[in-house]
Amino acid sequence: MPRQPQSPEPDEIELGAVLSALADPHRRRVVRALVHDVDASERSCTSFGLDLSKSTRSHHFKVLREAGLVRQVDRGNRSGVTLRRQDLDARFPGLLALIGDEDGD
C-alpha cells in the first residue's frame, strides 16, 4: 500500500503557511496548473515542467503538502499530487480563484 506523506487536517491549514508556500513562483506555478486542471485528476510530480533537480522539486512539493495545498501519494518510483480544492475553498474562499487568475510564467 502506498505511503501517505503527512498533510494537515482541513481545520489545521493555516493562512500564513499557505501564503508562505505560495510566495515561491515554482510552487505557485504548480498550484495554478492544478487549479486549471478541470478534471482534478492525480498528476505526477514530474508533469509540471519544472526545470529543477529532483531534490529541489521534492522540496517544493513537501512545502506545498505541509502547507495543506496538495495531497501527495508516493507510488513506488513516482509521486502523485492533487489539489486540496474543497478544503482550501472551505477554509479560504476565493484564494484558488485568485491564483488561477494570476498571469502564468
Side-chain angles (χ1 to χ4, degrees):
M1 184 159 136
R3 180 178 61 85
Q4 302 285 52
Q6 195 70 346
S7 290
E9 293 298 320
D11 61 337
E12 296 173 335
I13 299 173
E14 297 178 2
L15 182 59
V18 169
L19 294 177
S20 180
L22 292 171
D24 182 89
H26 295 296
R27 294 191 289 262
R28 263 196 330 278
R29 181 178 175 187
V30 168
V31 173
R32 193 170 41 252
L34 291 168
V35 165
H36 290 291
D37 189 6
V38 291
D39 66 0
S41 61
E42 182 179 292
R43 288 184 57 177
S44 165
C45 292
T46 59
S47 72
F48 294 95
L50 300 175
D51 190 21
L52 303 168
S53 69
K54 182 179 178 181
S55 62
T56 301
R57 214 173 33 245
S58 293
H59 167 74
H60 285 304
F61 282 100
K62 176 183 177 192
V63 171
L64 290 171
R65 183 183 69 245
E66 289 179 349
L69 287 157
V70 300
R71 288 209 193 281
Q72 189 173 341
V73 179
D74 289 336
R75 301 193 183 283
N77 292 341
R78 72 170 197 89
S79 292
V81 66
T82 56
L83 183 65
R84 293 180 64 178
R85 187 180 309 267
Q86 187 174 8
D87 294 338
L88 293 164
D89 282 341
R91 193 95 163 115
F92 311 112
L95 177 65
L96 294 179
L98 288 172
I99 296 166
D101 288 346
E102 181 183 32
D103 290 334
D105 302 335

